[in-house]
Amino acid sequence: MMNKKTLGAVAVAAAAVLALSACSGGSSGGSSGGDASKGEISYWLWDANQLPAYQQCATDFTKANPDITVKITQTGWDDYWSKLTNGMASGTAPDVFTDHLSKYPDFLKTKQLVALDDSIAQDSVDLSQYNEGLADLWVGQDGKRYGLPKDWDTVALFYNQKMATDAGITPEQMGSLTWNPQDGGTYEKAIARLTVDKNGKRGDEAGFDKNNVAVYGLGLPGSDAENAGQTQWSYLSATTGWTTTDKNPWGTHFNYDDKKLQDTIDWWASLAVKGYMPKLETTVGANAADSFGAGKAAINSNGSWMIGQYTGYKGIDVGIAPTPQGPEGKRASMFNGLADSVWAGTKKKDAAIKWVEYLGSTACQDVVASKAVVFPAITTSSEKAADAFKAKNVDVSAFTQHVKDKTTFMLPITDNASKVAGIMKPAVDAVVAGKSPASSLTAANEQVNALFAK
Amino acid sequence: MTMLTKPPEPGLSARAPRKSPKRGKPSDGFRGIGDLKIALFFIAPAMIGLILFYLVPTIRGIYLSFTEYSILGDPEWIGARNYERIAKDPLFWNALGVTSEYVVINIVLQTALALGLAILMHRVAKSTLIRGALLMPYLMANVIAALLWFWMLDYQIGVINQIIEWTGLPRVAFFGSEQWAIPTQALINTWRHMGYTALLIFAGLQAIPNSVYEAASIDGSKAVSTFWRITLPLLRPVLVLVLVVTVIGSFQVFDTVAVTTAGGPVNATRVLQFYIYQRAFNEQDFGYGSALAVILFLILAIVAFLQMKFLRGNQSDLD
């Protein structure tokens, strides 16, 4: 989901990690072995863009707690989880790590996380300071709390403003798109209008050649089913009233057999047939955001953590529009929140919890806000982040609007997340590739539900 | 293989008493025990390696295949349930089919091309530079080779698709389309391995004595029939060895898939090794993954056995 693989960023991160380890190498000389509240603790995260902010937090933290140092390691999303799991099995996992909603149920099942309730009560951490709903996402089925929220994200439409102007679409029109699964509403009209073939004919004009498209109205990074459609179709399916599971969190029955979902996917896949969206087979290997940056697509739906990347493309004037309104006149966006968790195998439990509480405090989250990379979990801090984005001339209201209007819904939290992904990805791939009808998802849904039948 | 075990024999038989046909009998006891100790000493490093890195993991893998095991926590014995599930798992049968398609394309092309290259090396290209150049792709790491081709064949930015478009043909989704994904990967690995395979066959060609060819040409045999009647039959043991090794390697294709299509599009490249990896490491189902691995092991053992038996890989026609 948050896997950004910009080479430059990785290089910067690598340099930062080197600098960090050089620093800590000097200061951790007196790491007292037995004391759980002192010494060096390790902290892992995956987003290279956020590393400088958290490095700042670590420095400030050590200033306030001179007997604790924090060693930060950044590992890209693709390797992060297997490295973490292997570390847990071999006893070398970090004391504290950035945790994801789709992953932590598996860690709970194998008792890899430390419950934070006692410390939170003792240190009177105010859980109401976080944006509504974020803190409770980290309460397990046993009623205990296994993480403190650090940030959140929603979904919006990044679009190429010059292309929109050329097509005669105003920012106001982009900001008030409507959608329904039957004819796609004004959203499909805009996508069609923004599609241009090699002869300069637009997607809604007679003589449009759908087999020779120069600019696609909507970009396609993949079927996104491994992420429950987080950035690619959940913002549509949710407006129909469809929910992924029977309840959330801890649902045990999936609803991919629902007609509302299947109609949504059918509509989405039809865009590729009409030539408004690339065919799935042509997107293997290509990066959708980079194709947008190269002017090959006019709209990309994506998460708020991608703001930096989309606004960073040279020569592309990027606008950010809210996701379209659904059949019932409401928008919808998946709401995902990350947290910091403490590994059960830590030898520095007290110091680790102290660091997690610091990460979850305004002291650190204001620092993160000032860097304008993500929206911190604390309400006041995320307002500061919005201001920081504004200072960089980026209007992020399309993302924050969802939170203000309470049009968000939670990323599905369930057991067996990786097995569900393993079944659903090829199934939705087949539909988007035009190989199977959306009704084939019913069979996949049965397979998914069988995972929970044990 | 036979050539490797032959050399020590003269030394041994020279040491053993001539009259006694059997070695290491009581009369020779003192020296036998001494030899045994030294032998054990020399065998120990290999034995320890074998036990630690092959025997123990194999036995543990077989044990795990009868359990439910996520790497965190303890394995739980569930009998043959994993194997029952595999028999009914459409993705396993798909993986078997996809892997077989890969192996057939890869092995047929690779062996044919390598044989051709070996003969060219033997007859025409005598320069070390050219012979060395053939080996170049093999010197590249698998992942690097896969990624290079991945970029060159990319639908949008790939240079090869650019060339295809210049010629007026439609672009090809080499990795993205279901019918092309496996042949593309099979061709990439053919390209990478054929030089090495050619080198193995080339070594076999050099072991065929010239006198046989001379005899053939005196009898008036033409080049083509010499190839079919002399070269190929005499090359058989080497070819069998090459086939056994390359088929095993081919069945284990993983890295090319992992860094390019990751099993997709849909399930078109979900080869056995990748499926094992997915079940074990992505989905934390090490029991099921182990059971799949045991099945792959059995398949490979049977294939290798059949090849050795029916192609008489352990006999030479030269004697």
Side-chain angles (χ1 to χ4, degrees):
Chain A
M1 275 157 247
M2 289 209 185
N3 50 346
K4 236 174 289 173
K5 297 186 279 188
T6 330
L7 201 61
V10 172
V12 170
V17 170
L18 275 179
L20 257 182
S21 50
C23 287
S24 59
S27 59
S28 69
S31 63
S32 43
D35 199 333
S37 64
K38 279 187 202 152
E40 184 183 87
I41 52 171
S42 46
Y43 176 59
W44 283 13
L45 50 84
W46 65 79
D47 190 354
N49 294 316
Q50 300 178 35
L51 186 62
Y54 285 104
Q55 193 186 321
Q56 179 71 45
C57 287
T59 311
D60 297 348
F61 178 70
T62 302
K63 232 175 250 167
N65 305 279
D67 47 1
I68 309 174
T69 52
V70 182
K71 186 183 175 190
I72 306 183
T73 306
Q74 184 266 338
T75 305
W77 170 271
D78 289 343
D79 299 320
Y80 187 84
W81 300 102
S82 56
K83 249 183 105 173
L84 192 61
T85 314
N86 293 344
M88 286 171 174
S90 61
T92 56
D95 302 298
V96 181
F97 63 94
T98 307
D99 207 350
H100 194 275
L101 287 174
S102 70
K103 308 280 180 179
Y104 96 97
D106 281 341
F107 294 141
L108 279 191
K109 216 159 74 182
T110 48
K111 300 191 172 58
Q112 295 298 322
L113 304 180
V114 172
L116 304 171
D117 302 74
D118 297 345
S119 319
I120 287 174
Q122 204 178 325
D123 301 329
S124 51
V125 174
D126 175 16
L127 293 172
S128 68
Q129 65 180 330
Y130 303 110
N131 270 299
E132 198 182 328
L134 287 183
D136 291 341
L137 292 172
W138 298 90
V139 176
Q141 280 166 301
D142 58 0
K144 290 195 178 132
R145 196 171 291 278
Y146 291 95
L148 273 188
K150 63 188 298 153
D151 59 27
W152 57 264
D153 50 73
T154 53
V155 177
L157 306 176
F158 293 92
Y159 69 98
N160 187 314
Q161 285 194 315
K162 186 175 176 297
M163 289 180 186
T165 313
D166 292 349
I169 301 174
T170 65
E172 289 71 37
Q173 283 172 314
M174 279 304 294
S176 56
L177 295 170
T178 60
W179 173 84
N180 65 69
Q182 284 75 43
D183 65 8
T186 58
Y187 186 37
E188 178 169 338
K189 287 207 176 74
I191 291 171
R193 182 97 192 120
L194 286 164
T195 305
V196 185
D197 73 8
K198 294 236 158 92
N199 304 317
K201 280 255 187 288
R202 295 193 172 274
D204 58 357
E205 291 171 350
F208 166 70
D209 180 2
K210 66 176 186 179
N211 295 318
N212 282 298
V213 178
V215 179
Y216 288 100
L218 185 65
L220 175 70
S223 76
D224 203 28
E226 68 274 33
N227 307 318
Q230 181 179 18
T231 61
Q232 297 309 308
W233 43 264
S234 72
Y235 66 94
L236 299 173
S237 58
T239 63
T240 65
W242 180 78
T243 55
T244 315
T245 47
D246 53 348
K247 57 175 181 167
N248 198 23
W250 311 114
T252 53
H253 183 91
F254 280 72
N255 300 324
Y256 287 108
D257 54 348
D258 191 318
K259 191 164 180 314
K260 283 185 264 185
L261 180 269
Q262 298 188 351
D263 285 348
T264 304
I265 301 287
D266 253 341
W267 172 82
W268 188 45
S270 79
L271 292 181
V273 179
K274 293 168 189 160
Y276 303 160
M277 181 171 83
K279 288 190 168 50
L280 186 68
E281 63 176 43
T282 69
T283 63
V284 174
N287 177 313
D290 289 342
S291 297
F292 177 90
K296 293 194 167 178
I299 305 177
N300 267 192
S301 61
N302 218 325
S304 50
W305 65 90
M306 292 295 281
I307 295 171
Q309 178 147 350
Y310 277 97
T311 54
Y313 289 117
K314 286 222 166 68
I316 302 272
D317 191 5
V318 174
I320 308 175
T323 55
Q325 292 175 338
E328 281 148 38
K330 274 190 144 181
R331 305 178 199 281
S333 165
M334 196 178 274
F335 196 35
N336 178 31
L338 305 182
D340 292 302
S341 296
V342 178
W343 177 46
T346 178
K347 291 193 176 65
K348 310 266 177 208
K349 192 171 149 195
D350 299 337
I353 292 176
K354 209 170 198 176
W355 168 237
V356 167
E357 287 178 356
Y358 184 80
L359 287 167
S361 71
T362 46
C364 176
Q365 301 210 349
D366 282 351
V367 169
V368 175
S370 70
K371 307 270 182 192
V373 279
V374 284
F375 296 109
I378 297 175
T379 317
T380 56
S381 303
S382 64
E383 279 157 12
K384 280 179 188 158
D387 291 342
F389 277 117
K390 200 175 275 170
K392 284 170 128 184
N393 271 328
V394 182
D395 179 7
V396 292
S397 55
F399 293 104
T400 53
Q401 191 177 344
H402 279 297
V403 178
K404 237 175 260 158
D405 298 350
K406 298 194 191 306
T407 49
T408 59
F409 61 97
M410 293 296 168
L411 181 142
I413 302 168
T414 64
D415 282 333
N416 301 317
S418 53
K419 287 181 192 171
V420 173
I423 294 168
M424 288 315 298
K425 182 166 166 33
V428 182
D429 271 358
V431 178
V432 179
K435 195 188 155 204
S436 313
S439 55
S440 65
L441 297 179
T442 302
N445 194 57
E446 277 162 20
Q447 268 180 283
V448 167
N449 284 333
L451 294 173
F452 294 85
K454 282 187 226 169
Chain B
M1 300 303 271
T2 44
M3 287 204 294
L4 282 175
T5 50
K6 258 177 191 166
E9 270 182 10
L12 275 176
S13 51
R15 225 193 272 166
R18 281 277 153 111
K19 280 176 186 169
S20 161
K22 294 169 202 157
R23 283 171 231 131
K25 289 303 280 180
S27 66
D28 206 21
F30 170 73
R31 184 177 267 170
I33 287 168
D35 279 352
L36 185 71
K37 273 186 183 161
I38 293 169
L40 282 177
F41 177 76
F42 280 111
I43 290 169
M47 268 316 261
I48 292 169
L50 185 79
I51 291 168
L52 270 182
F53 297 110
Y54 287 92
L55 222 53
V56 172
T58 305
I59 292 166
R60 186 167 160 77
I62 292 170
Y63 159 69
L64 285 178
S65 75
F66 292 100
T67 67
E68 187 167 325
Y69 176 50
S70 86
I71 192 166
L72 308 165
D74 295 319
E76 182 194 333
W77 185 267
I78 55 165
R81 266 241 311 274
N82 283 329
Y83 291 97
E84 288 163 22
R85 277 163 59 204
I86 287 173
K88 285 183 274 180
D89 182 355
L91 277 180
F92 164 71
W93 295 106
N94 169 71
L96 205 56
V98 168
T99 312
S100 307
E101 184 192 346
Y102 173 88
V103 171
V104 169
I105 298 175
N106 182 230
I107 293 304
V108 169
L109 273 177
Q110 185 171 299
T111 312
L113 285 171
L115 190 58
L117 282 177
I119 288 167
L120 284 179
M121 271 201 269
H122 191 53
R123 296 280 172 82
V124 187
K126 305 238 158 134
S127 114
T128 321
L129 192 72
I130 293 173
R131 288 177 180 176
L134 284 172
L135 209 57
M136 290 281 276
Y138 189 71
L139 301 181
M140 206 185 291
N142 247 346
V143 170
I144 306 288
L147 283 179
L148 277 177
W149 282 104
F150 193 41
W151 285 329
M152 290 199 294
L153 295 171
D154 187 278
Y155 186 86
Q156 319 244 10
I157 57 165
V159 62
I160 291 176
N161 262 314
Q162 201 68 253
I163 295 169
I164 291 176
E165 199 168 47
W166 282 337
T167 65
L169 295 166
R171 288 176 178 243
V172 181
F174 287 103
F175 287 94
S177 83
E178 285 186 73
Q179 58 270 46
W180 274 104
I182 277 290
T184 302
Q185 311 215 14
L187 282 171
I188 291 173
N189 284 331
T190 299
W191 170 79
R192 200 182 98 83
H193 287 277
M194 66 187 181
Y196 176 72
T197 313
L199 198 70
L200 291 179
I201 299 175
F202 173 62
L205 284 176
Q206 286 189 314
I208 300 173
N210 247 333
S211 53
V212 187
Y213 289 116
E214 278 160 17
S217 74
I218 288 168
D219 287 348
S221 167
K222 298 250 163 55
V224 174
S225 66
T226 306
F227 172 76
W228 288 108
R229 286 156 187 264
I230 308 277
T231 312
L232 216 49
L234 290 180
L235 206 53
R236 201 199 57 241
V238 174
L239 275 180
V240 173
L241 170 82
V242 165
L243 270 177
V244 170
V245 172
T246 52
V247 165
I248 290 175
S250 192
F251 258 103
Q252 296 184 332
V253 57
F254 172 77
D255 26 22
T256 318
V257 174
V259 298
T260 58
T261 51
V266 193
N267 292 313
T269 60
R270 211 169 298 278
V271 291
L272 268 174
Q273 284 282 25
F274 189 81
Y275 189 48
I276 293 170
Y277 167 79
Q278 178 194 334
R279 295 304 293 242
F281 292 92
N282 277 345
E283 302 179 10
Q284 302 291 316
D285 202 343
F286 283 86
Y288 198 82
S290 300
L292 286 168
V294 168
I295 290 177
L296 176 60
F297 173 75
L298 290 177
I299 292 173
L300 290 181
I302 292 169
V303 169
F305 172 78
L306 291 179
Q307 282 176 318
M308 292 304 277
K309 186 161 170 68
F310 288 105
L311 298 171
R312 292 180 296 127
N314 47 0
Q315 300 165 21
S316 167
D317 294 338
L318 266 178
D319 301 334

